[in-house]
Amino acid sequence: MALADVCGLKTNQLKNSFLSDFGGSSTHLLDDALTSTTNFTVPYGIDPVESLKEFTNPKSDVKIHFDHGTTTLAFKFQHGVIVAVDSRATAGPSIESQTVKKVIEINPYLLGTMAGGAADCAYWERVLARQCRIYELRNKERISVAAASKLLANIVYNYKGMGLSMGTMICGWDKRGPGLYYVDSDGERMSNNIYSVGSGSVYAYGVLDSGYRYDLSVEEAIDLGRRSIYHATHRDAYSGGVVNLYHMKESGWEFISQTDVFDLHYQYKAEKEKK
Amino acid sequence: VNTFSPEGRLFQVEYAIEAIKLGSTAIGIQTSEGVVLAVEKRVTSPLIEASSIEKVFEVDDHIACAMSGLIADSRTLIDRARVEAQNHWFTYNAKMSVESVTQAVSNLALQFGDDDADPGAMSRPFGVALLFAGIDNKGPQLYHMDPSGTFIQYDAKAIGSGSEGAQQALQDTYHKSMTLKEACKSALTILKQVMEEKLNSSNVEMGTVTKEKKYHMFSKQELEDVIKDI
């Protein structure tokens, strides 16, 4: 095929999806993406692992460049979890959007963040939302953050090596209190009090770690989250736009604010000058 | 097993419908304010933990389902309804309509047989009738589904052992301008008439689906409040 040759793709033998359908039920009829959401039919003649190596290898002939610029952070404290994200999307050196929603509202008491491939995060977190709702209906109680993050981690592990790019933080409040898990497309799943993901995370961690205490008040925590994202957007070229901030409480999440980093820059500058 | 008789009947399906006539009575009533489902629990022993008998289920927050017949058979159907409703939400980002959910479940009804064509399929039909109650953009609706897979919309329907008497009573008392409160009272009154045991807050289950409160299961206290008015 001409396009395949131009892209340098090596076509293999017929290979269909080897993943079994887990979680959802499927009839013996058509198993396509419409009726069976956890099962993908891989296009014929393509071995995903081999062909996707072309995209991730910088020396390859394929010039499509996936960009993973972003800053997202979340931290647990005595009053719940603060989730703060930027909103910039880049394609190489071009800013494609300053208004991306990088917090995914899975359900009223679970939030997921988006870092890496936007489509990967949005799609699989929607699959997670569907799975969490079915859990709720079958067990008559909300799913725990640990279980929800495990569901997601196990789903993406099936696609390990096939080019999924996803670094997400699953945040919620369940009977064990505030919950925060980091899940990524390598199959990693960890829990801790503070996480930051993305190209700007190094800068965010600096501010976050220096200002963090478990016993912060709600206002102090919100300010810390906002400030950390701002500093990341200031130094990281691939982060910017607005800071979207959420607070996860026992009663569920609440959207706190959307602030342009441009405004924050002059606000913090003025604060420094006042001292 | 699933072949026609000379008179053109499917005996297995008819026998399944007979099985439902032995089941506990369930009543569904649709009003402009919402739909109510009430079921007789049939607690056969004082040692039974009555709260573990569940015959009204949530399918999604805007659809509930009551059953009568071989209760165990309904578990598969309820789970199918739940998964279909979530798949619909996943693909179309909208709540599945009551009729669509009912239709999706009815697709399972006739998938039985003993031939090799479909190994893993059921050997017999489901021995349970379902009442799907919900609200969508067409308003409150009540659907009855039987083992043949036929589903019909009703304003008010009774299924199970006391269904003949209950259905007649519903025909006498139902009117289009009924309020949900009147319907709840009516459902319990009719259940009381056809139930063998004395009706109380522990041997019945009642649930409503309204636009504001969505799916709501009556607590023991709420049941007692309705019962005392009868």
Side-chain angles (χ1 to χ4, degrees):
Chain A
M1 290 183 286
L3 186 60
D5 291 328
V6 166
C7 294
L9 284 175
K10 289 170 189 57
T11 53
N12 272 22
Q13 277 291 356
L14 225 61
K15 199 168 187 177
N16 213 323
S17 171
F18 53 82
L19 297 160
S20 59
D21 187 25
F22 43 89
S25 67
S26 58
T27 62
H28 299 285
L29 309 169
L30 219 58
D31 249 350
D32 71 326
L34 261 178
T35 54
S36 179
T37 56
T38 50
N39 194 1
F40 276 125
T41 307
V42 179
Y44 291 135
I46 302 213
D47 174 11
V49 181
E50 279 307 308
S51 61
L52 282 158
K53 277 188 187 155
E54 311 266 346
F55 291 102
T56 49
N57 179 5
K59 291 196 213 77
S60 87
D61 293 326
V62 178
K63 297 294 179 207
I64 298 171
H65 170 63
F66 293 135
D67 193 271
H68 307 129
T70 198
T71 313
T72 61
L73 83 261
F75 61 89
K76 284 197 279 194
F77 70 118
Q78 66 175 335
H79 295 297
V81 194
I82 294 291
V83 183
V85 300
D86 79 313
S87 65
R88 180 175 287 185
T90 49
S94 162
I95 295 175
E96 293 297 296
S97 171
Q98 293 271 62
T99 56
V100 179
K101 282 205 69 195
K102 298 188 188 179
V103 173
I104 293 154
E105 296 159 9
I106 295 169
N107 64 41
Y109 53 94
L110 273 179
L111 289 174
T113 60
M114 182 194 285
D120 289 338
C121 291
Y123 183 84
W124 291 110
E125 287 181 27
R126 192 171 176 87
V127 172
L128 180 63
R130 172 188 168 277
Q131 222 41 48
C132 289
R133 178 65 178 135
I134 290 175
Y135 177 98
E136 226 175 72
L137 285 166
R138 286 176 175 158
N139 303 99
K140 290 205 276 199
E141 66 171 14
R142 283 188 189 172
I143 193 171
S144 66
V145 190
S149 60
K150 191 86 176 177
L151 276 175
L152 183 64
N154 287 155
I155 289 173
V156 299
Y157 183 72
N158 281 307
Y159 295 95
K160 189 172 166 76
M162 293 191 199
L164 276 185
S165 170
M166 189 189 82
T168 186
M169 293 175 290
I170 302 297
C171 323
W173 192 311
D174 57 31
K175 54 177 131 179
R176 292 198 198 98
L180 173 57
Y181 281 82
Y182 166 75
V183 177
D184 74 16
S185 44
D186 295 329
E188 199 77 80
R189 173 179 166 269
M190 301 180 288
S191 178
N192 207 334
N193 287 339
I194 308 177
Y195 278 113
S196 178
V197 183
S199 54
S201 64
V202 281
Y203 307 107
Y205 269 129
V207 179
L208 214 37
D209 287 333
S210 74
Y212 176 80
R213 282 183 342 264
Y214 187 79
D215 57 1
L216 288 168
S217 72
V218 178
E219 298 85 53
E220 287 173 327
I222 288 173
D223 181 71
L224 181 64
R226 201 182 280 136
R227 211 173 271 266
S228 307
I229 296 287
Y230 159 74
H231 282 287
T233 61
H234 184 60
R235 285 292 177 179
D236 177 29
Y238 299 106
S239 301
V242 299
V243 182
N244 281 317
L245 208 141
Y246 287 73
H247 177 201
M248 179 65 70
K249 304 186 280 213
E250 191 165 5
S251 51
W253 57 259
E254 186 194 339
F255 175 70
I256 302 293
S257 64
Q258 182 182 85
T259 351
D260 196 314
V261 298
F262 183 81
D263 298 331
L264 285 173
H265 174 81
Y266 291 103
Q267 182 191 317
Y268 294 142
K269 185 160 180 261
E271 279 172 20
K272 267 196 274 191
E273 265 142 41
K274 248 202 278 182
K275 281 189 186 152
Chain B
V1 167
N2 60 342
T3 46
F4 280 104
S5 76
E7 308 95 70
R9 297 154 69 175
L10 286 172
F11 281 125
Q12 278 300 299
V13 174
E14 290 190 20
Y15 298 158
I17 294 172
E18 280 301 305
I20 292 152
K21 292 184 185 157
L22 303 165
S24 54
T25 317
I27 294 177
I29 304 177
Q30 178 225 313
T31 71
S32 57
E33 292 174 353
V35 198
V36 59
L37 293 170
V39 193
E40 166 201 1
K41 276 199 197 193
R42 205 173 273 178
V43 185
T44 48
S45 156
L47 288 172
I48 288 180
E49 184 60 58
S51 58
S52 71
I53 299 179
E54 224 191 313
K55 297 182 182 175
V56 180
F57 284 95
E58 180 183 358
V59 167
D60 201 351
D61 60 10
H62 65 298
I63 302 181
C65 185
M67 62 214 52
S68 176
L70 271 53
I71 299 298
D73 283 7
S74 67
R75 300 287 191 244
T76 323
L77 295 169
I78 293 292
D79 199 67
R80 181 56 176 262
R82 287 171 170 167
V83 172
E84 289 285 341
Q86 287 312 112
N87 284 349
H88 189 273
W89 170 81
F90 183 90
T91 313
Y92 303 106
N93 199 203
K95 287 196 188 295
M96 202 171 190
S97 68
V98 191
E99 184 177 0
S100 301
V101 172
T102 312
Q103 189 189 53
V105 177
S106 71
N107 289 338
L108 281 177
L110 289 177
Q111 281 182 8
F112 65 92
D114 55 7
D115 42 10
D116 298 314
D118 206 357
M122 305 177 296
S123 54
R124 61 168 176 81
F126 287 99
V128 66
L130 298 176
L131 286 173
F132 282 98
I135 301 200
D136 55 33
N137 52 8
K138 288 204 188 105
Q141 286 152 79
L142 175 68
Y143 284 89
H144 166 252
M145 197 194 88
D146 69 14
S148 68
T150 312
F151 60 92
I152 301 178
Q153 190 182 358
Y154 277 86
D155 292 328
K157 176 76 174 153
I159 52 177
S161 53
S163 59
E164 265 180 68
Q167 194 67 32
Q168 190 54 50
L170 281 171
Q171 236 175 323
D172 298 332
T173 51
Y174 180 81
H175 57 97
K176 282 226 176 339
S177 51
M178 229 174 176
T179 64
L180 189 62
K181 200 156 172 230
E182 287 172 347
C184 291
K185 196 164 153 203
S186 186
L188 286 181
T189 310
I190 296 172
L191 259 187
K192 187 175 177 181
Q193 289 168 11
V194 299
M195 263 171 75
E196 282 180 17
E197 305 96 34
K198 190 174 183 309
L199 185 142
N200 61 51
S201 58
S202 322
N203 60 13
V204 287
E205 239 182 310
M206 192 152 76
T208 54
V209 185
T210 51
K211 207 160 174 197
E212 305 81 32
K213 265 168 82 186
K214 303 276 167 203
Y215 168 75
H216 170 73
M217 184 61 103
F218 277 56
S219 67
K220 202 165 170 207
Q221 186 57 54
E222 288 167 325
L223 276 172
E224 272 165 24
D225 291 337
V226 184
I227 292 170
K228 69 171 163 41
D229 283 337
I230 294 176

